[in-house]
Amino acid sequence: MHPFHRLRPARVSLRWKIAALAAATACLVAAAVGVLVHVWTADDIRNRAEAQAFNTVYSAMDTYRRTGTLADGAELDPAELPAALRHPADGNRRTAYDGRVDGNLGPVVWAAQRVGGPDSAVLAVRVNMSPQLYDLRRLDAVMAVASLVALAAATPLAVYGAGLLGRRLRQVSETAGRISAGDLDARTGPAKGRDEVADIAATVDLMADSLSRRLRIERQFTADVAHELRTPVGGLLAATDLLPPGETEDLLRARVRDLRGLVEDLLEISRLDAGAEQPVRDRVPLGAVVSEAVARTGLDTQVSVAVVADAQGAETAQTVETDPRRLERIVSNLVVNAHRHGDTPVQVTVEGRTVVVRDHGPGFPADLLLAGPRRFHTGATERGSGHGLGLTIALGQARLLGAELRLDNAPDGGAVATLRLPA
């Protein structure tokens, strides 16, 4: 389990974003096609009506001049005739659209021509467009229904296609998350297709390969250095026993002990990196193990152990099944780190399966809370000096025990390390 948690805002799935985009696009296309079809059909209906009216008035005028009778629905000076046709500028045939609706008579197209001189009557013919416009409304309804049916069919397909893309992207995201959490063996697998998602997946795998290779080189270097230094450091420690007692001998012996502690820490980290460590579990009282670990540090630390009630109501200490040696190592590293980089009072609280170590110093640096502890990096200068391996070892041992180690800063100041042991 990764020890650091980041709050993420609520998000909308990519599947629904793509489906919504596809649905909106389908609606826009359907609306555009519907408008174009409507406009084109309406113009075609009007053009046909004008042509029919024009031809009809031509036939009616020929009949009137030959026989003096009105045919083909022709009228002389009808009251409804538009003003543009009632007083034409010349004797040529003209047409006009009249969109007025009078009773059962809908929009019409008029065609008119004078039968004689400038003061003669006007012969007019009207063509009713209501049947064609009714067909146009039916066509609009059919287009709307067809658009809805197409939208209903396209949306599930868009959701399905977006789901396939979303699953592939989610797999890449999960792989990157596992790599970020420390699983350098995580890979997205063979590429599915030849698109941008496959390129991203391949890039993530290449990044993981490069990171894993560099980390292996770093770990191997750390292990090799630690093994090479162990023998000469042991010789130095033995040589200090031959020095005459005095201030110089004490100072040199302290520095050699520090060097030996650093070498031992490097060896421990190398074993954790190599996966060579295995916990030896036993059922132990958590409070007693923590108290003993704090006492062995020799540092002034306040320890508070909460008791629990058993089935009979009697108060008893919380017991856990864990590796006591590794648990002591974690607690002692956290306490030493609190004293070295924080400020007193340092408090250790045991409650249930949780151990909390808190100091009252400047707190953990922001980059440590963001990226986790890094070896040979102590964070901000105000937290003191050191080689930065204590928290790294504590985190590695906690991961080995299946525990969660979380680092935070208290609202009122100070660093807080919370260790939660598994049930």
Side-chain angles (χ1 to χ4, degrees), residues 52-96:
Q52 181 182 352
F54 198 87
N55 293 333
T56 302
V57 78
Y58 175 82
S59 175
M61 181 63 72
D62 182 66
T63 301
Y64 181 77
R65 286 174 176 173
R66 286 187 294 102
T67 64
T69 60
L70 298 175
D72 299 324
E75 302 174 71
L76 289 176
D77 293 328
E80 300 87 357
L81 188 65
L85 300 181
R86 187 178 298 277
H87 305 288
D90 51 37
N92 295 333
R93 289 187 298 274
R94 295 181 179 276
T95 61

Side-chain angles (χ1 to χ4, degrees), residues 13-316:
S13 173
L14 181 63
R15 169 190 295 186
W16 299 113
K17 289 182 180 179
I18 295 179
L21 179 61
T25 304
C27 290
L28 290 176
V29 171
V33 172
V35 170
L36 290 176
V37 170
H38 176 89
V39 172
W40 180 86
T41 305
D43 288 344
D44 183 67
I45 290 174
R46 184 168 175 173
N47 292 334
R48 287 176 180 271
E50 289 178 350
Q52 181 182 352
F54 198 87
N55 293 333
T56 302
V57 78
Y58 175 82
S59 175
M61 181 63 72
D62 182 66
T63 301
Y64 181 77
R65 286 174 176 173
R66 286 187 294 102
T67 64
T69 60
L70 298 175
D72 299 324
E75 302 174 71
L76 289 176
D77 293 328
E80 300 87 357
L81 188 65
L85 300 181
R86 187 178 298 277
H87 305 288
D90 51 37
N92 295 333
R93 289 187 298 274
R94 295 181 179 276
T95 61
Y97 173 75
D98 186 2
R100 295 174 296 175
V101 179
D102 184 13
N104 295 327
L105 188 63
V108 297
V109 172
W110 290 89
Q113 183 181 4
R114 288 194 180 276
V115 297
D119 297 328
S120 61
V122 176
L123 186 145
V125 174
R126 73 180 84 184
V127 176
N128 189 2
M129 297 172 57
S130 295
Q132 291 82 2
L133 294 179
Y134 175 75
D135 292 339
L136 178 60
R137 288 191 292 270
R138 291 183 59 189
L139 177 62
D140 291 341
V142 171
M143 288 289 296
V145 173
S147 299
L148 293 176
V149 172
L151 179 62
T155 300
L157 293 177
V159 172
Y160 176 74
L164 295 178
L165 176 62
R167 280 193 292 272
R168 294 175 60 194
L169 288 175
R170 192 178 302 111
Q171 181 184 5
V172 176
S173 175
E174 291 174 353
T175 301
R178 289 168 57 191
I179 294 172
S180 176
D183 183 7
L184 298 182
D185 294 328
R187 297 293 185 274
T188 58
K192 299 177 181 178
R194 298 171 60 88
D195 52 17
E196 289 80 358
V197 179
D199 293 341
I200 294 175
T203 302
V204 170
D205 286 348
L206 289 175
M207 177 194 68
D209 291 337
S210 176
L211 183 61
S212 179
R213 182 170 57 254
R214 294 185 180 184
L215 191 57
R216 280 197 302 269
I217 294 174
E218 177 187 340
R219 288 173 174 176
Q220 187 61 44
F221 175 76
T222 301
D224 292 343
V225 168
H227 282 290
E228 292 296 328
L229 288 177
R230 194 173 192 179
T231 300
V233 168
L236 281 175
L237 189 60
T240 56
D241 295 333
L242 303 178
L243 294 175
E247 182 178 352
T248 303
E249 186 267 345
D250 293 338
L251 180 62
L252 184 58
R253 184 183 294 273
R255 294 296 178 263
V256 173
R257 286 199 190 97
D258 291 340
L259 183 57
R260 185 178 66 175
L262 173 59
V263 172
E264 295 297 332
D265 287 346
L266 289 174
L267 287 173
E268 184 172 358
I269 288 178
S270 66
R271 289 194 299 268
L272 290 172
D273 290 341
E277 296 287 302
Q278 293 296 328
V280 180
R281 300 184 183 275
D282 193 8
R283 194 155 196 86
V284 294
L286 179 58
V289 174
V290 172
S291 299
E292 185 176 354
V294 173
R296 287 183 178 179
T297 63
L299 301 172
D300 184 16
T301 306
Q302 302 174 10
V303 181
S304 175
V305 180
V307 295
V308 296
D310 58 13
Q312 289 74 29
E315 293 184 348
T316 182

